[in-house]
Amino acid sequence: MYDFQYLRPATVDEASRVLATQPDARPMSGGMSLLPATKQRLSHWSAIVDLGGVAGLDEIRMEHGALVIGARARHVSVLSSSVVRAAIPALAELAEGIGDPLVRNRGTIGGSVANADPAADYPAALLGLGATVVTNHREIAADDLFTGLFETALEAGEIITAVRFPVPKRAAYAKYRHPASRYAVVGAFVAETAEGVRVAVTGAASHVFRVPAFETALSKSLSQDALVGVTPAYGDLNADLFASSEYRAHVIGEMVRRAVQACLHPSTPSRNA
Amino acid sequence: MPLVTMTVNGTAVSAEVEARTLLAEFLRNDLEMTGTHVGCDTTQCGCCTVHLDGVGVKSCTVLAVACQGAQVLTIEGLATGDALHPMQAAFREHHGLQCGFCTPGMIMSALDMVRRKGHDLDERLVRHELEGNICRCTGYHNIVKAIQAGASAMKGA
């Protein structure tokens, strides 16, 4: 790992000032993605700005009927939160499938979202639920946040402070996970919202995306039958050591089917544990 | 270089370290406490598991400087004199190790499991919760038995 300057500001404003003036500085939350990538010298930073010293960003609460999760809430807090379980159980279940218990003890939702790993789980929930990302500067709809491979609409010095999730009628996440990394080979988040059904897919392309063909079909009828004969045209899907793009296209359909099944029968295990 | 001060197994320690120094490196190289192992260095194997402010973490993926003022518990901090911690004793009793390389991480992870899940751990749960720890001898069967027994023994401890 290349050396860097370590900074631990006490406020978001202070962190933002450093990040806005140092283009090669990087904010760190739990560090569960940033540190492994930095250790492999995949990235090199002038400074790591540790947000661990910023108090008060880890609250989980209901606000005007929406679930608000502080950016520094750790995965273990989300999966064990009675507030999350009551409002959006699918989100707690998703958090329970991230990495392993030791990673979940440390990793945070804000860090995962800002990192925008193409195979991360949280982005699927944000896009699937139509969440809003709250930063120190503005609010960004999940539809506008994820722009590319590890790329987001976040600007220099912009720090996520919370994520606001509208509460769906029902939702589920199904993930075909890589057995070693626990990342999604393909993950599908299906949510029945007031505006219709949303389907978001992670792991399959450069960044998380929605599948309009499935959304239209499932908005008419949230059932497995509605999926029969629906064959979405995908853009460039990932092809790697683990799965070809043709295989991923097939697995998307299967994960959507499993997520629909889990929406209809919440006791059905949707993760391949 | 930044100066970092933390408490390791009840003793205050202090050293100047590079910002990039990992907690695992700090424990092993600066403190010469080599009970914490580094197996993969890619946040997967869990051999480096320690408790940071009471919570299990992979110390190869935590910066030492980020532990300023923290309480760290390592495998060396478990036994009382010659008396093994009940979880350590259970690993010995149930032959929960072959080469022993993963054992410190397995035990620290097992204790985090007890903290989160309590003392009555069924086999399925233990196997699921051990996702973050890899034994390359693949001796999981006895590790699982040891953790169940150790968790149970800790109830009376």
Side-chain angles (χ1 to χ4, degrees):
Chain A
M1 183 158 52
Y2 297 110
D3 206 11
F4 43 79
Q5 192 187 4
Y6 174 80
L7 300 169
R8 193 179 172 90
T11 65
V12 171
D13 283 350
E14 199 185 325
S16 177
R17 269 197 302 277
V18 175
L19 291 163
T21 51
Q22 286 196 41
D24 292 332
R26 182 80 167 176
M28 177 172 82
S29 187
M32 292 296 99
S33 297
L34 180 66
L35 290 175
T38 308
K39 281 162 68 173
Q40 290 183 50
R41 298 191 170 182
L42 294 172
S43 44
H44 175 213
W45 316 108
S46 64
I48 283 184
V49 181
D50 188 352
L51 301 174
V54 180
L57 289 183
D58 57 355
E59 203 188 341
I60 298 173
R61 64 179 190 280
M62 295 301 295
E63 196 177 280
H64 308 301
L67 173 65
V68 179
I69 301 182
R72 298 245 328 128
R74 301 190 193 276
H75 307 325
V76 66
S77 308
V78 172
L79 74 90
S80 57
S81 162
S82 55
V83 177
V84 177
R85 292 267 172 200
I88 314 178
L91 194 58
E93 283 160 27
L94 175 146
E96 200 161 10
I98 298 173
D100 61 56
L102 304 165
V103 168
R104 294 194 287 269
N105 277 345
R106 193 107 184 117
T108 70
I109 186 170
S112 170
V113 170
N115 189 51
D117 189 295
D121 298 306
Y122 270 129
L126 266 70
L127 197 59
L129 290 163
T132 302
V133 168
V134 183
T135 78
N136 54 333
H137 293 157
R138 57 182 168 151
E139 298 195 345
I140 309 171
D143 280 309
D144 302 324
L145 182 75
F146 301 102
T147 55
L149 185 72
F150 293 104
E151 300 223 341
T152 66
L154 294 169
E155 291 164 359
E158 188 166 24
I159 294 168
I160 299 175
T161 56
V163 183
R164 194 170 64 233
F165 295 93
V167 175
K169 290 177 195 161
R170 44 193 170 173
Y173 180 60
K175 170 181 176 180
Y176 187 72
R177 64 176 204 175
H178 186 276
S181 72
R182 275 82 182 184
Y183 276 99
V185 174
V186 171
F189 200 101
V190 173
E192 187 183 12
T193 73
E195 290 83 40
V197 173
R198 294 173 67 104
V199 176
V201 171
T202 188
S206 64
H207 60 289
V208 65
F209 62 93
R210 290 170 66 184
V211 189
F214 284 142
E215 292 185 348
T216 305
L218 292 170
S219 292
K220 285 179 195 149
S221 158
L222 185 64
S223 67
Q224 297 205 29
D225 288 346
L227 295 169
V228 174
V230 180
T231 49
Y234 300 109
D236 282 342
L237 293 185
N238 294 341
D240 54 30
L241 189 62
F242 314 122
S244 66
S245 52
E246 293 80 4
Y247 179 69
R248 274 198 168 82
H250 173 77
V251 176
I252 292 171
E254 178 60 17
M255 289 304 113
V256 170
R257 191 190 67 75
R258 289 187 195 181
V260 168
Q261 180 69 8
C263 280
L264 299 172
H265 306 283
S267 59
T268 315
S270 53
R271 284 185 293 121
N272 71 321
Chain B
M1 289 196 292
L3 178 75
V4 65
T5 301
M6 65 184 87
T7 303
V8 178
N9 301 333
T11 304
V13 295
S14 189
E16 281 191 348
V17 296
E18 288 185 317
R20 62 179 167 176
T21 304
L22 301 167
L23 178 58
E25 295 170 338
F26 177 74
L27 294 170
R28 290 179 57 82
N29 302 342
D30 292 85
L31 304 185
E32 298 185 348
M33 295 171 64
T34 53
T36 299
H37 293 173
V38 177
C40 70
D41 208 25
T42 54
T43 329
Q44 287 174 313
C45 79
C47 292
C48 66
T49 302
V50 303
H51 293 193
L52 177 59
D53 289 329
V55 174
V57 300
K58 293 182 170 177
S59 65
C60 81
T61 313
V62 175
L63 297 177
V65 284
C67 302
Q68 174 63 35
Q71 296 277 341
V72 175
L73 178 68
T74 74
I75 189 75
E76 288 96 338
L78 294 187
T80 310
D82 289 339
L84 292 178
H85 184 282
M87 189 62 79
Q88 291 175 304
F91 269 69
R92 183 168 71 177
E93 173 69 21
H94 293 272
H95 307 286
L97 60 145
Q98 290 182 45
C99 84
F101 191 87
C102 72
T103 312
M106 287 287 176
I107 289 175
M108 298 312 288
S109 198
L111 295 176
D112 192 61
M113 202 184 302
V114 172
R115 178 184 67 82
R116 286 179 294 108
K117 300 290 182 183
H119 295 274
D120 296 316
L121 306 172
D122 68 44
E123 181 190 334
R124 188 184 158 82
L125 179 75
V126 173
R127 288 184 183 274
H128 183 65
E129 288 289 324
L130 267 188
E131 274 186 324
N133 292 78
I134 295 173
C135 165
R136 279 293 79 130
C137 306
T138 70
Y140 295 105
H141 193 67
N142 284 356
I143 291 171
V144 172
K145 279 202 284 192
I147 291 174
Q148 289 181 278
S152 185
M154 283 169 65
K155 220 183 321 194

